[in-house]
Amino acid sequence: MKNLSVSQRSQLVAEKLKIKLENIANFSLDPNQIMGRNCENMIGVTQIPLGIAGPIAVKLPAREYYLPLATTEGALIASVNRGCKATRLSGGIRVKVELKGVTRAPVFKVNNLAEAEKLITWIKKNFNQLKQQVEATSRYLKLLDIEPFITGKNLFLRFSYDTAEAMGMNMATIATQQAVSLIELKLKVKCVSLSGNFCVDKKASWLNFIQGRGKCVWAEARLKKAVVKQVLKTTPEKIVEVVLRKDFVGSAMSGSLGFNGHFANIVAALFLATGQDMAHVVEGSLGITTAELETNGDLYFSVYLPSLMLGTVGGGTGLATQKEALAILGLGQGKKGEALELAVIVGAAVLAGELSLTAALAAGHLVKAHEKLGRGSK
Amino acid sequence: MKNLSVSQRSQLVAEKLKIKLENIANFSLDPNQIMGRNCENMIGVTQIPLGIAGPIAVKLPAREYYLPLATTEGALIASVNRGCKATRLSGGIRVKVELKGVTRAPVFKVNNLAEAEKLITWIKKNFNQLKQQVEATSRYLKLLDIEPFITGKNLFLRFSYDTAEAMGMNMATIATQQAVSLIELKLKVKCVSLSGNFCVDKKASWLNFIQGRGKCVWAEARLKKAVVKQVLKTTPEKIVEVVLRKDFVGSAMSGSLGFNGHFANIVAALFLATGQDMAHVVEGSLGITTAELETNGDLYFSVYLPSLMLGTVGGGTGLATQKEALAILGLGQGKKGEALELAVIVGAAVLAGELSLTAALAAGHLVKAHEKLGRGSK
Amino acid sequence: MKNLSVSQRSQLVAEKLKIKLENIANFSLDPNQIMGRNCENMIGVTQIPLGIAGPIAVKLPAREYYLPLATTEGALIASVNRGCKATRLSGGIRVKVELKGVTRAPVFKVNNLAEAEKLITWIKKNFNQLKQQVEATSRYLKLLDIEPFITGKNLFLRFSYDTAEAMGMNMATIATQQAVSLIELKLKVKCVSLSGNFCVDKKASWLNFIQGRGKCVWAEARLKKAVVKQVLKTTPEKIVEVVLRKDFVGSAMSGSLGFNGHFANIVAALFLATGQDMAHVVEGSLGITTAELETNGDLYFSVYLPSLMLGTVGGGTGLATQKEALAILGLGQGKKGEALELAVIVGAAVLAGELSLTAALAAGHLVKAHEKLGRGSK
Amino acid sequence: MKNLSVSQRSQLVAEKLKIKLENIANFSLDPNQIMGRNCENMIGVTQIPLGIAGPIAVKLPAREYYLPLATTEGALIASVNRGCKATRLSGGIRVKVELKGVTRAPVFKVNNLAEAEKLITWIKKNFNQLKQQVEATSRYLKLLDIEPFITGKNLFLRFSYDTAEAMGMNMATIATQQAVSLIELKLKVKCVSLSGNFCVDKKASWLNFIQGRGKCVWAEARLKKAVVKQVLKTTPEKIVEVVLRKDFVGSAMSGSLGFNGHFANIVAALFLATGQDMAHVVEGSLGITTAELETNGDLYFSVYLPSLMLGTVGGGTGLATQKEALAILGLGQGKKGEALELAVIVGAAVLAGELSLTAALAAGHLVKAHEKLGRGSK
């Protein structure tokens, strides 16, 4: 099926299975751009409803954004929207973002500890040479660090990169391959796997949670008591209690890697709309929610997301609908700092969505929200 | 913006932001079906390239399926396809599936241990009455179990349901609300949050990993040595070594909740194509890969996925493109057992994709595969 | 050195190393009782200072106990003592205990899923026969359950036992060996290891945290505001804040398996004094602390310990000093229910010690306490 | 009871409870040294049988040690002894040790992210001043690093120290208090708790596992095939299989923080004998075991312990029996490097004990070993 056009392939499948693929065939993406880049054996597209929430008010610097959210889960966009309104009316969301770097960690088999130490010493000594070699693989990539970890005959080297506006996993992989080849050549050791699960890519892990990966984001807002009442239909006290009993005690009791309500929902909807890799929702939704009562009765609310892998160029970001979604955010034009700005937006959006869900739970309105919107299967 | 049509809203956004949303506006989904159900403030759709892999051969009973995979990650479908071929040539994939049940766990605030015990005793005594009441909320839902967990003043009740062919989170939430109302009325206790993060929904957690949630799937295949060589370009020995050093040692060292290579990629692509909730990729990608050398030199390869939340009715499964993707799998016609069949397919597809990536790593071909397909950002 | 007496062996070591072992040689334990039972190659004893705290007031039924605590950590006993006083003045500590059972989980190598299922089916069918056989290995042991877990070719069977007043790990191991032999004989499968780390013995694990092991204990107390002030030198509000920021947020951020301050200290001191296996401190110190403000300003304080492996017969409990320590608690006479009573005491003692440390942190007195007592190395 | 002598207090307790405390009263430790330092309300001692294993052969530099092990678990010392013999006959154990530093992490309450950032900036700027101040609290302590972590209003500062030959938790706490006082004074922020559970002290945590704490140790040995057969009664192949299925697959399935067999047993016995803090067994027993088949059929075996908190001065190390046990190891004379040497010994001893248990499981001899030695309760 490799050499067929999209429509030929789609027809073939439809005929063979005696089904119709009319909607899948309805698309405006350019197959020539997609083939050999985003998707093989293409038969069309999956259409995901795209809605808008906001504007969301972000501070430092002050900006407002409409949020493009792709989802099939009723009530989600309405909920994020409500969170946008409540935070906007309270002065907006302050966000802090830190570049942690894209990581790739090959695993080498060494014969013993002495060999591992020799390798580590060599890397420290030849860091600049390695840096030069790996940075020659891409004009966007900078090597930040190489961190070694040993157990038995296994030596992991965690390479960390700045990949500019790209999410950069591919770039990092190619660069690391280059370094690995050099190390294998010079030190006669064997790399068993270019990824040694110490990266950690697309799995929930404490390593990423504690040390961060990609972009690390903190967002906070101070909600006026009256706004909590009018917009969120509950009280700061009740929200604080839900965060304590659900996000902390419940997560502690269940061995959760993630002390939050539903980061994954908002991260998934924004990632899908803007062309990110959907498997990165796994680590992107790691994080912690906190809520506190201010002395004047207002609500302090925060979210922390240590492992956001995202970009504004490369991957799915260049596809026509995704590019338009990025344009809604004022992004996708290749300016420096766009990836960090997208991380800021994700952090703020997650805060809005998390706040709204927590408030719905606090008010006892979860079922009502879902019964009004998004209900289905009774 | 609530009362606008999709195109009016889209136009408004485009004008306001001085951008074009032409591709987003290109869709064949029915907005009337979507509004109030899957998406609010709709402005169009996100188009995700949809490709096909397979056929994949599943055993017991023997069936073949073409896999619809929605993704923007180049090389993924080619990789799954290669895994399908290798397993097909080796006699197919055996899959075991178990219904664990959809869970929802409200958290109650009790005054002390005695009150918690009283509540638990009441529930045991009145289980049948509760069952009758909650099952009245949907003709598809069956209450399987209520499991209590206490710490301090926090009492979690983990309700577990059979929700037939629906993923069922909404149904389960509505049913649990019914039970909660009854408990609050009868026992004068207060439910603080209908979800107490002991469900655990859309977060990585050891509770789901150990006890399972939704559907729990095991898949295994025995790859002929010659097939590993010809199709996967490596040897069983090398694959076994990658699984050991990467999936086990690397995951152990990094505190990962998931001892596998990239379950998330395949789960995300299948979930997206078939209308599942994308936030469920987080728990759906939990699991373990194993590889062993058979005495005759063949390769035994297995995957284990304890927490698959999916369905063939409800949610996004009724959308036009998603319905067609389900039709490719012969699903979506409301037959009994379809959800379990979909879980079987996901398990088999994950095995195929996991096998192929592991083989690429073992062969040192990861970069080559990505350079040929899906490359981008150099 | 095997056939020497304790003093001969001690002398030999002293001479060879040119050192004196006079204090080690000073003991009143009976070597004949110890050899072949508790210690090989004995050269004497380690003396650990033993102090007393309390009395601690436990409720339901109401009892008071002096706590024997063996420790070298200055300030620990004083701190537990203070917690005893504060809780005693507030009406005592209510404790709930549940027998979870001693577990042992051998791992079998099966050829495939079908073989695993066959084995599981056989076990369900022949549970009564297995029960009879394993219970023949000891007149104290009862088989409670056998729970299977599969991944790839690995089948774990988690056997759970009631071992009466003994901690029972040895008994459970012998009984499980019996079951394993029968299974191997009847089903021609191979047990690779009698312990498959799914027990989980002496390691921190989420399995034990979530499902419990040995004895599971909850303890709670309601501290009067005035008592908190006078005895603990702080306020309920401050204690609540320390528990939140330290035990919940700090533990969440650091990937801790244990949301408490220092359960390990109290468990270790009581285990050491009463002849328990010190490696069981690892799982015995798992657990959660909670603190809440009551509406009248009092403090609610609780601890939860899901995995206490302990007993009042067997192991080190029969040694002379340990037996006397058990006598201080009114235990060690072989009465039914003594092991559960000891678990109750451990739970109460942990609450007292945890409360006192938390209060010291809240008051900013940690350093002062250690400077007054137990300081050392400046 | 505070002002009584040990014997007066012991007598009082005995009379009150109508029991005898004769053995507890038998001790040679000096109460004057203990009071105000190691134990309050002392009534005597707990005697723990102390045995000897070895010699154990350690390499780089080559040394042999007899191991003092305090335990009540029959078969443990015999097992360690067997591991010593097998490794000694195979050329000894190579050990690598790294000082990670003693850590203490207070948690501050800040008003918002901006305040947290201000504090962090201040610390970076004033690191040298802080260093000078905290190092003035002890002539042995050096400040290595201060690492900040933020979530919401919670700011954790993880102070890391070199405490020379002392385990150093007390020193580190006093030094951190000094730094905290300065920070509170200069920045008008409030430290909520001097320990914020981001240290992480005496709890199992991924932070310590990944970043290390105290001393981090790797040990490895290459066992000759013939030695495995003659001494350990099994084969390298079987040992490799037990490590895979038990230590890796079993630990992965059960959510264990520790991929080993029984590190806790050996760590506990050595810690107890040498006067360490027994609650540090919790983090000290974290770690990973690996086993591999060498091409010539020999066995490679390794252990990794990332979080050993220990010392040769301070705490319980000065007590008479503990001092003698340290003398058996040639330690306790206050020489520089003794604490690292003790860590090396612990690493080697853990390897020996782990190897022997794994071999017993591989040979199917676990029950036999326990039946011969240390059995009890049938």
Side-chain angles (χ1 to χ4, degrees):
Chain A
M1 298 204 299
K2 274 189 193 165
N3 299 315
L4 305 177
S5 74
V6 173
S7 63
Q8 284 172 324
R9 194 180 295 109
S10 165
Q11 240 175 326
L12 203 75
V13 172
E15 277 167 22
K16 180 154 191 180
L17 301 175
K18 299 194 178 91
I19 56 174
K20 286 185 178 172
L21 299 175
E22 291 168 357
N23 291 284
I24 284 174
N26 179 292
F27 62 89
S28 62
L29 303 185
D30 176 4
N32 294 321
Q33 186 195 350
I34 290 167
M35 281 156 67
R37 204 179 257 273
N38 297 109
C39 181
E40 299 86 48
N41 288 345
M42 187 175 168
I43 59 167
V45 303
T46 297
Q47 300 176 34
I48 309 286
L50 179 71
I52 215 97
I56 193 164
V58 175
K59 295 204 297 193
L60 304 183
R63 282 288 310 268
E64 294 210 343
Y65 302 94
Y66 283 95
L67 300 169
L69 298 159
T71 187
T72 63
E73 192 194 4
L76 177 62
I77 293 174
S79 184
V80 173
N81 203 36
R82 192 171 73 138
C84 292
K85 185 176 173 191
T87 50
R88 210 168 56 231
L89 291 175
S90 298
I93 301 169
R94 289 170 301 275
V95 188
K96 170 182 157 72
V97 63
E98 218 175 280
L99 175 71
K100 292 289 183 178
V102 181
T103 51
R104 182 53 95 193
V107 56
F108 293 83
K109 180 186 176 181
V110 291
N111 283 315
N112 46 50
L113 289 170
E115 203 174 290
E117 289 187 322
K118 199 181 125 196
L119 202 157
I120 293 168
T121 307
W122 186 89
I123 281 171
K124 278 184 194 157
K125 239 187 199 159
N126 297 276
F127 185 82
N128 286 336
Q129 186 193 344
L130 273 165
K131 189 173 162 66
Q132 206 180 332
Q133 290 246 353
V134 306
E135 293 185 356
T137 62
S138 161
R139 59 191 161 105
Y140 298 113
L141 172 139
K142 300 286 162 207
L143 176 63
L144 301 173
D145 195 20
I146 307 175
E147 214 184 345
F149 291 83
I150 311 171
T151 194
K153 294 195 172 201
N154 309 282
L155 171 61
F156 300 85
L157 295 178
R158 197 177 193 229
F159 289 77
S160 178
Y161 302 97
D162 179 347
T163 55
E165 310 318 318
M167 175 268 276
M169 195 66 259
N170 256 9
M171 254 197 256
T173 302
I174 291 165
T176 306
Q177 174 66 71
Q178 184 71 12
V180 162
S181 300
L182 187 68
I183 292 166
E184 287 186 322
L185 184 74
K186 296 275 182 182
L187 290 161
K188 311 296 175 209
V189 293
K190 188 186 147 209
C191 174
V192 172
S193 178
L194 190 51
S195 161
N197 271 20
F198 205 84
C199 315
V200 185
D201 195 44
K202 302 178 174 177
K203 271 87 63 184
S205 74
W206 281 108
L207 179 64
N208 289 8
F209 199 103
I210 292 169
Q211 302 199 350
R213 185 171 192 247
K215 277 86 184 170
C216 183
V217 174
W218 297 258
E220 68 181 3
R222 188 168 167 158
L223 283 297
K224 287 177 197 147
K225 192 176 173 170
V227 170
V228 173
K229 191 174 175 191
Q230 285 151 30
V231 179
L232 301 174
K233 315 294 180 201
T234 186
T235 65
E237 287 81 357
K238 284 188 177 175
I239 287 176
V240 168
E241 186 171 11
V242 169
V243 169
L244 175 66
R245 298 196 194 280
K246 169 190 168 73
D247 295 341
F248 280 97
V249 183
S251 298
M253 291 281 283
S254 56
S256 293
L257 218 169
F259 296 73
N260 63 68
H262 72 145
F263 284 12
N265 274 331
I266 304 107
V267 171
L270 262 170
F271 271 31
L272 193 50
T274 59
Q276 311 304 321
D277 189 328
M278 293 311 288
H280 277 137
V281 172
V282 177
E283 53 185 294
S285 60
L286 294 174
I288 298 181
T289 294
T290 77
E292 306 205 10
L293 204 60
E294 299 282 4
T295 45
N296 73 345
D298 284 355
L299 173 71
Y300 174 87
F301 198 86
S302 88
V303 298
Y304 167 56
L305 298 102
S307 184
L308 282 174
M309 289 285 287
L310 49 72
T312 56
V313 299
T317 62
L319 300 177
T321 49
Q322 285 76 342
K323 220 174 165 48
E324 289 176 3
L326 282 167
I328 292 174
L329 297 168
L331 301 174
Q333 295 148 37
K335 283 176 301 184
K336 198 165 147 42
E338 283 199 336
L340 287 173
E341 188 175 347
L342 181 55
V344 165
I345 294 165
V346 172
V350 165
L351 187 146
E354 184 76 359
L355 172 65
S356 184
L357 170 74
T358 311
L361 287 165
H365 289 168
L366 184 67
V367 166
K368 279 183 208 155
H370 275 89
E371 278 188 338
K372 241 178 75 188
L373 301 160
R375 59 173 311 220
S377 47
K378 181 168 172 180
Chain B
M1 300 204 298
K2 274 191 193 163
N3 299 316
L4 304 178
S5 74
V6 173
S7 63
Q8 284 173 324
R9 194 180 295 109
S10 167
Q11 238 173 328
L12 203 73
V13 172
E15 277 167 22
K16 179 155 191 178
L17 301 174
K18 300 195 177 87
I19 56 174
K20 286 186 177 171
L21 298 176
E22 290 168 358
N23 291 284
I24 284 174
N26 180 292
F27 61 89
S28 63
L29 303 185
D30 176 5
N32 293 323
Q33 186 195 351
I34 289 166
M35 281 155 66
R37 203 179 260 271
N38 298 108
C39 182
E40 300 85 48
N41 287 345
M42 187 174 169
I43 60 165
V45 304
T46 296
Q47 300 176 34
I48 309 287
L50 180 71
I52 216 98
I56 194 164
V58 175
K59 295 203 298 193
L60 304 184
R63 281 288 310 267
E64 292 209 345
Y65 301 94
Y66 283 95
L67 301 170
L69 299 159
T71 187
T72 63
E73 193 195 2
L76 177 62
I77 293 174
S79 185
V80 173
N81 203 35
R82 192 171 74 138
C84 291
K85 186 177 171 190
T87 49
R88 210 169 56 231
L89 290 175
S90 298
I93 299 169
R94 290 170 301 274
V95 188
K96 169 182 159 72
V97 62
E98 218 176 279
L99 175 72
K100 291 290 182 177
V102 181
T103 51
R104 183 52 93 194
V107 54
F108 294 84
K109 181 185 175 181
V110 291
N111 283 314
N112 46 49
L113 289 170
E115 202 174 292
E117 290 188 319
K118 197 180 128 196
L119 201 157
I120 293 169
T121 307
W122 186 89
I123 281 170
K124 279 186 194 154
K125 237 188 199 159
N126 296 276
F127 184 81
N128 287 336
Q129 186 195 344
L130 273 164
K131 188 173 161 65
Q132 206 180 333
Q133 290 244 353
V134 304
E135 293 184 357
T137 62
S138 161
R139 60 193 161 104
Y140 298 113
L141 173 140
K142 300 287 162 206
L143 176 63
L144 302 173
D145 195 21
I146 306 174
E147 216 184 343
F149 291 83
I150 312 170
T151 195
K153 293 194 171 201
N154 309 281
L155 170 61
F156 300 86
L157 296 177
R158 197 176 191 230
F159 288 76
S160 178
Y161 303 97
D162 179 347
T163 55
E165 309 318 319
M167 175 269 277
M169 194 66 260
N170 254 11
M171 255 195 256
T173 302
I174 291 165
T176 306
Q177 175 64 71
Q178 185 70 12
V180 162
S181 299
L182 188 68
I183 292 166
E184 287 186 322
L185 183 73
K186 295 276 181 181
L187 290 161
K188 312 293 174 210
V189 293
K190 188 187 148 209
C191 174
V192 172
S193 177
L194 190 51
S195 161
N197 271 20
F198 206 84
C199 313
V200 184
D201 196 44
K202 302 178 176 176
K203 271 87 63 184
S205 73
W206 282 109
L207 178 64
N208 288 9
F209 198 103
I210 292 169
Q211 301 199 347
R213 186 170 191 248
K215 277 84 183 171
C216 183
V217 174
W218 297 260
E220 68 181 2
R222 188 168 167 159
L223 283 296
K224 287 175 197 151
K225 193 177 173 170
V227 170
V228 173
K229 192 175 172 190
Q230 285 152 30
V231 179
L232 301 175
K233 314 296 180 199
T234 187
T235 64
E237 286 81 358
K238 285 189 178 174
I239 287 177
V240 167
E241 186 171 10
V242 170
V243 169
L244 174 65
R245 297 195 195 281
K246 171 191 167 72
D247 294 341
F248 280 97
V249 183
S251 298
M253 291 281 283
S254 56
S256 292
L257 217 168
F259 295 73
N260 63 68
H262 72 145
F263 284 12
N265 274 331
I266 304 109
V267 170
L270 262 171
F271 271 32
L272 194 50
T274 59
Q276 311 304 320
D277 189 328
M278 292 311 288
H280 278 136
V281 172
V282 177
E283 53 185 295
S285 59
L286 294 174
I288 297 182
T289 294
T290 78
E292 306 206 10
L293 203 62
E294 299 281 4
T295 46
N296 72 346
D298 284 356
L299 173 71
Y300 175 88
F301 198 86
S302 87
V303 298
Y304 167 56
L305 298 103
S307 182
L308 283 174
M309 290 285 289
L310 48 73
T312 56
V313 299
T317 62
L319 300 177
T321 49
Q322 286 76 342
K323 219 175 166 50
E324 289 176 3
L326 282 168
I328 292 173
L329 297 168
L331 301 175
Q333 295 148 35
K335 284 175 302 184
K336 198 166 147 39
E338 283 199 334
L340 286 174
E341 189 176 348
L342 181 56
V344 164
I345 293 166
V346 172
V350 166
L351 187 147
E354 184 76 358
L355 172 65
S356 184
L357 171 75
T358 311
L361 287 165
H365 289 168
L366 184 66
V367 167
K368 280 183 207 156
H370 275 89
E371 279 187 338
K372 241 178 75 188
L373 301 159
R375 59 171 312 216
S377 47
K378 182 170 171 179
Chain C
M1 298 206 299
K2 273 189 193 166
N3 299 315
L4 305 177
S5 73
V6 172
S7 62
Q8 285 173 323
R9 194 180 295 110
S10 167
Q11 240 174 326
L12 202 74
V13 171
E15 277 166 23
K16 181 156 191 178
L17 301 174
K18 301 194 177 88
I19 56 174
K20 287 187 176 169
L21 298 175
E22 291 167 358
N23 291 284
I24 284 174
N26 180 291
F27 61 91
S28 62
L29 303 185
D30 176 5
N32 294 320
Q33 187 195 350
I34 290 167
M35 282 155 66
R37 203 179 259 271
N38 297 109
C39 182
E40 298 86 47
N41 289 345
M42 187 173 168
I43 58 165
V45 304
T46 296
Q47 299 176 34
I48 309 286
L50 180 71
I52 216 97
I56 194 163
V58 175
K59 296 204 297 193
L60 303 185
R63 282 287 310 268
E64 293 208 345
Y65 302 93
Y66 283 94
L67 300 170
L69 298 160
T71 187
T72 63
E73 193 195 3
L76 178 61
I77 293 174
S79 184
V80 173
N81 203 36
R82 193 171 73 139
C84 290
K85 185 177 174 190
T87 50
R88 210 169 55 232
L89 290 175
S90 296
I93 301 169
R94 288 171 301 273
V95 189
K96 169 182 158 73
V97 61
E98 219 176 279
L99 174 72
K100 290 291 182 177
V102 181
T103 51
R104 183 51 94 194
V107 54
F108 294 84
K109 180 186 176 181
V110 292
N111 283 312
N112 47 50
L113 290 170
E115 204 174 289
E117 290 187 319
K118 199 180 125 195
L119 202 157
I120 294 168
T121 307
W122 186 88
I123 280 171
K124 278 186 194 154
K125 238 187 198 158
N126 296 275
F127 184 82
N128 286 336
Q129 186 194 345
L130 273 164
K131 188 173 162 65
Q132 206 180 332
Q133 290 244 353
V134 306
E135 294 184 357
T137 61
S138 161
R139 59 192 162 102
Y140 298 112
L141 172 141
K142 300 286 161 206
L143 176 62
L144 302 173
D145 195 21
I146 307 174
E147 215 184 342
F149 291 83
I150 313 171
T151 194
K153 293 193 172 202
N154 310 281
L155 171 60
F156 300 85
L157 295 179
R158 198 178 192 230
F159 289 76
S160 178
Y161 302 97
D162 180 346
T163 54
E165 309 318 319
M167 176 269 277
M169 193 68 260
N170 255 10
M171 256 196 255
T173 302
I174 291 166
T176 306
Q177 174 65 70
Q178 184 71 12
V180 161
S181 299
L182 187 70
I183 292 166
E184 286 186 322
L185 183 76
K186 295 276 181 183
L187 290 161
K188 312 294 172 208
V189 292
K190 187 186 148 211
C191 174
V192 172
S193 178
L194 190 52
S195 161
N197 271 19
F198 205 84
C199 312
V200 187
D201 194 43
K202 303 179 174 175
K203 271 87 63 185
S205 74
W206 281 108
L207 178 64
N208 289 10
F209 198 104
I210 292 170
Q211 301 199 350
R213 187 170 190 248
K215 277 83 183 171
C216 183
V217 173
W218 296 258
E220 68 182 1
R222 189 168 167 158
L223 283 297
K224 286 176 197 150
K225 192 178 173 169
V227 170
V228 173
K229 192 174 173 193
Q230 286 151 29
V231 179
L232 302 174
K233 315 295 181 200
T234 185
T235 64
E237 287 80 359
K238 285 189 177 174
I239 287 177
V240 168
E241 185 170 12
V242 170
V243 169
L244 175 66
R245 298 197 194 279
K246 171 191 168 72
D247 296 340
F248 280 96
V249 183
S251 298
M253 291 279 284
S254 56
S256 293
L257 216 169
F259 296 73
N260 63 69
H262 72 146
F263 284 12
N265 275 331
I266 304 107
V267 170
L270 262 171
F271 272 32
L272 194 50
T274 59
Q276 312 303 320
D277 190 328
M278 292 311 290
H280 277 136
V281 172
V282 177
E283 53 185 292
S285 60
L286 294 174
I288 298 181
T289 294
T290 78
E292 307 205 8
L293 204 61
E294 300 281 4
T295 46
N296 73 345
D298 284 355
L299 172 71
Y300 175 88
F301 198 86
S302 87
V303 298
Y304 167 58
L305 298 103
S307 183
L308 282 175
M309 290 284 287
L310 49 72
T312 56
V313 298
T317 61
L319 299 178
T321 49
Q322 287 75 344
K323 220 175 165 51
E324 287 176 2
L326 283 167
I328 293 174
L329 297 168
L331 301 175
Q333 296 149 36
K335 283 176 301 182
K336 200 168 146 43
E338 282 198 337
L340 287 173
E341 189 175 347
L342 180 56
V344 165
I345 293 166
V346 173
V350 166
L351 187 146
E354 183 77 359
L355 173 64
S356 183
L357 171 74
T358 311
L361 288 165
H365 289 169
L366 185 65
V367 167
K368 279 182 210 156
H370 275 88
E371 279 187 338
K372 239 177 76 190
L373 301 161
R375 58 172 313 216
S377 48
K378 182 167 173 183
Chain D
M1 300 206 296
K2 273 188 195 167
N3 300 315
L4 304 179
S5 73
V6 172
S7 63
Q8 284 173 324
R9 194 181 294 110
S10 167
Q11 240 175 326
L12 203 75
V13 171
E15 277 167 22
K16 179 156 192 178
L17 301 175
K18 300 192 178 94
I19 56 175
K20 287 184 178 172
L21 298 177
E22 291 167 359
N23 291 284
I24 285 173
N26 180 291
F27 61 90
S28 62
L29 304 185
D30 175 5
N32 294 321
Q33 186 194 350
I34 291 167
M35 281 156 66
R37 204 179 259 273
N38 298 109
C39 181
E40 298 86 48
N41 288 347
M42 187 175 168
I43 59 166
V45 304
T46 296
Q47 301 175 33
I48 309 287
L50 179 71
I52 216 97
I56 193 163
V58 174
K59 294 202 300 192
L60 304 183
R63 281 289 309 269
E64 294 210 344
Y65 302 94
Y66 283 94
L67 301 170
L69 299 159
T71 186
T72 62
E73 192 195 4
L76 177 62
I77 293 174
S79 184
V80 173
N81 203 35
R82 192 171 74 138
C84 290
K85 184 177 174 190
T87 50
R88 210 169 54 231
L89 290 175
S90 298
I93 300 169
R94 291 171 300 275
V95 188
K96 172 182 155 72
V97 63
E98 219 176 280
L99 175 71
K100 292 290 182 178
V102 181
T103 50
R104 182 53 92 195
V107 54
F108 293 85
K109 180 184 176 182
V110 292
N111 284 315
N112 47 49
L113 290 169
E115 203 173 290
E117 290 187 320
K118 198 180 125 197
L119 202 158
I120 293 169
T121 305
W122 186 88
I123 281 171
K124 278 185 193 155
K125 240 188 199 158
N126 297 275
F127 184 82
N128 286 335
Q129 186 194 345
L130 274 164
K131 188 173 161 65
Q132 207 181 332
Q133 291 246 351
V134 305
E135 293 184 357
T137 61
S138 161
R139 58 192 162 104
Y140 299 113
L141 173 140
K142 299 286 161 206
L143 177 62
L144 302 174
D145 195 21
I146 307 174
E147 215 184 345
F149 291 83
I150 312 170
T151 194
K153 294 194 172 202
N154 309 281
L155 170 61
F156 300 86
L157 295 179
R158 196 178 193 230
F159 288 76
S160 179
Y161 303 97
D162 180 345
T163 55
E165 310 318 318
M167 175 269 277
M169 195 66 259
N170 256 10
M171 258 196 255
T173 302
I174 290 165
T176 307
Q177 174 65 69
Q178 185 70 10
V180 162
S181 299
L182 188 68
I183 293 166
E184 286 186 324
L185 183 75
K186 295 276 182 183
L187 290 161
K188 313 292 173 210
V189 292
K190 188 185 148 212
C191 173
V192 173
S193 178
L194 189 52
S195 161
N197 271 20
F198 205 84
C199 315
V200 186
D201 195 44
K202 303 180 174 176
K203 271 87 64 183
S205 74
W206 281 108
L207 178 64
N208 288 10
F209 199 104
I210 292 169
Q211 302 199 348
R213 185 170 192 250
K215 277 84 183 171
C216 183
V217 174
W218 296 260
E220 68 183 0
R222 187 167 168 160
L223 283 297
K224 287 177 197 150
K225 193 177 174 171
V227 170
V228 173
K229 193 174 172 191
Q230 285 152 29
V231 179
L232 301 174
K233 314 295 179 198
T234 185
T235 64
E237 287 81 357
K238 283 189 179 175
I239 287 176
V240 168
E241 186 170 12
V242 169
V243 169
L244 175 65
R245 297 196 195 281
K246 170 190 168 72
D247 294 341
F248 280 97
V249 183
S251 298
M253 291 280 284
S254 55
S256 292
L257 217 169
F259 295 73
N260 63 69
H262 71 146
F263 284 11
N265 275 330
I266 305 108
V267 171
L270 263 170
F271 272 31
L272 193 49
T274 60
Q276 311 304 320
D277 189 328
M278 292 311 289
H280 278 137
V281 172
V282 177
E283 53 184 293
S285 59
L286 294 174
I288 297 182
T289 294
T290 78
E292 306 206 9
L293 204 60
E294 299 282 2
T295 45
N296 73 344
D298 284 355
L299 173 70
Y300 174 89
F301 198 86
S302 87
V303 298
Y304 167 57
L305 299 102
S307 182
L308 282 174
M309 290 285 286
L310 48 74
T312 54
V313 299
T317 62
L319 299 178
T321 49
Q322 286 76 343
K323 217 172 168 53
E324 289 176 1
L326 283 167
I328 293 174
L329 297 168
L331 301 174
Q333 296 148 35
K335 284 176 301 184
K336 199 167 144 49
E338 284 199 335
L340 287 173
E341 189 176 345
L342 180 56
V344 165
I345 294 166
V346 172
V350 165
L351 186 146
E354 184 77 359
L355 172 65
S356 183
L357 170 75
T358 311
L361 287 165
H365 290 167
L366 184 65
V367 167
K368 279 181 208 156
H370 275 88
E371 279 187 338
K372 241 178 73 190
L373 301 161
R375 58 170 313 211
S377 49
K378 183 170 170 178

